[in-house]
Amino acid sequence: MARIVGGLTTSHIPAIGNAIARKMFEDPYWKPFFDGYPPVREWLDEVKPDVAVVIYNDHGLNFFLDKQPTFAIGAAPEYRNDDEGWGIPTIAPFKGDPAFSWHLIDNLVHDDFDLVTCQEMLVDHGFTVPMQLFWPNYADIGIKTVPLVINTVQHPLPSPRRCYNLGKSLGKAIESYPEDLKVVILGTGGLSHQLDGQRAGFINKTFDRMCMEKIVDDPEHFLDMSIRDLVVEAGAQGAEFILWLAMRGALTGKVTARHSNYHIPISNTASGLLCLENAA
């Protein structure tokens, strides 16, 4: 049966994609951020996952304000990156696993989560930046992927509780897959940031630190929060924390934090990194 080896969180700011393309790993501005990732890559080298389920929010490459699903999932053999207008170079495509995707879709729909299923799907920086951070050689090692999109762009957004419960259903679906796969789940985005309006540049370090602590051992702390509560505490775009909650909900075993890193600011955003091991 498939097994969930752990969960990872990371910010997915488009500026990171440009910094990777320009190899700015030793640049004084970027070094404290990039220095957080080698311990996670070492852990990934140890556990060697076969598939990464990447939970992220689409930024207009597939869905725009006129058509914005609450939940969408990829079921394609390949996912290509395309120009988003940020000046980030497009990169090599990512492998999919349609059979695994359809198993997840069948089980999530059975649990009353109505998803848009995408047999063709482009992936933007919300997906590509985390994949490059964790697997700089992703094209060589051939790790397979499943993109899972949650709307954080067009209100109304799904609540923290709804996203956590989606994660619980996802974890159950993964562990019912009959093949011997090792799966890692990525919750991307965040942490606190607001890119527009009167609070542009807003960062809440105290709330971020609390999120990084409680999501390990007490994720249900956040379930009675509303999206408005999240926006007040973390900024308009900080509501992306619901993507972390979906990841955490999917971890079915004893969860241990193997590594964490918090750095501010990166492009007006608080960047949070967690490596959570999921023991059976």
Side-chain angles (χ1 to χ4, degrees):
M1 306 295 286
R3 179 167 62 91
I4 301 167
V5 296
L8 306 174
T9 70
T10 180
S11 302
H12 62 213
I13 309 151
I16 300 169
N18 272 320
I20 292 172
R22 296 172 183 172
K23 303 186 185 305
M24 300 176 71
F25 310 114
E26 298 299 321
D27 180 272
Y29 179 83
W30 287 101
K31 183 174 171 55
F33 170 80
F34 284 122
D35 281 354
Y37 288 84
V40 183
R41 294 183 197 132
E42 291 172 7
W43 178 80
L44 288 167
D45 285 342
E46 291 175 15
V47 298
K48 293 182 170 54
D50 303 295
V51 181
V53 177
V54 184
I55 303 172
Y56 72 109
N57 54 306
D58 181 86
H59 298 80
L61 198 55
N62 281 284
F63 311 111
F64 199 59
L65 301 183
D66 58 338
K67 299 179 183 68
Q68 187 65 239
T70 301
F71 305 119
I73 189 169
E78 179 180 85
Y79 303 101
R80 292 187 172 274
N81 178 221
D82 206 355
D83 182 14
E84 305 173 58
W86 297 102
I88 310 171
T90 54
I91 56 177
F94 299 82
K95 289 185 178 180
D97 188 336
F100 182 56
S101 286
W102 280 111
H103 173 84
L104 300 182
I105 292 163
D106 286 342
N107 282 269
L108 289 168
V109 171
H110 181 269
D111 284 351
D112 295 328
F113 288 95
D114 303 317
L115 305 109
V116 171
T117 56
C118 305
Q119 296 182 69
E120 294 183 357
M121 193 175 191
L122 297 173
V123 289
D124 67 19
H125 69 269
F127 179 101
T128 62
V129 165
M131 287 298 297
Q132 288 178 283
L133 287 169
F134 293 129
W135 294 276
N137 60 337
Y138 72 89
D140 297 325
I141 64 174
I143 186 167
K144 295 180 179 180
T145 59
V146 178
L148 177 54
V149 171
I150 297 178
N151 170 34
T152 68
V153 175
Q154 175 81 314
H155 290 259
L157 311 185
S159 69
R161 182 178 297 275
R162 181 70 169 156
C163 293
Y164 184 75
N165 287 337
L166 172 70
K168 291 177 70 173
S169 182
L170 174 66
K172 183 175 67 173
I174 291 169
E175 294 192 332
S176 70
Y177 191 62
E179 293 188 19
D180 184 21
L181 292 179
K182 289 185 286 186
V183 181
V184 67
I185 304 167
L186 277 58
T188 76
L191 281 168
S192 62
H193 62 302
Q194 179 152 330
L195 304 179
D196 52 7
Q198 293 182 349
R199 292 204 306 167
F202 174 79
I203 286 175
N204 187 343
K205 182 177 180 180
T206 301
F207 183 73
D208 291 339
R209 289 289 195 185
M210 185 268 287
C211 288
M212 293 186 70
E213 292 171 4
K214 286 195 175 293
I215 201 167
V216 179
D217 297 320
D218 186 20
E220 295 187 0
H221 171 86
F222 304 100
L223 300 193
D224 289 330
M225 293 185 73
S226 66
I227 290 297
R228 188 181 189 281
D229 293 334
L230 269 183
V231 169
V232 168
E233 294 289 349
Q237 286 73 39
E240 291 172 348
F241 184 66
I242 59 177
L243 310 177
W244 289 37
L245 286 172
M247 175 281 298
R248 181 62 181 85
L251 303 185
T252 57
K254 178 177 172 55
V255 175
T256 304
R258 290 287 301 266
H259 177 70
S260 68
N261 188 57
Y262 179 76
H263 179 64
I264 54 176
I266 289 294
S267 189
N268 291 326
T269 300
S271 64
L273 169 65
L274 281 172
C275 175
L276 305 181
E277 190 166 68
N278 183 62

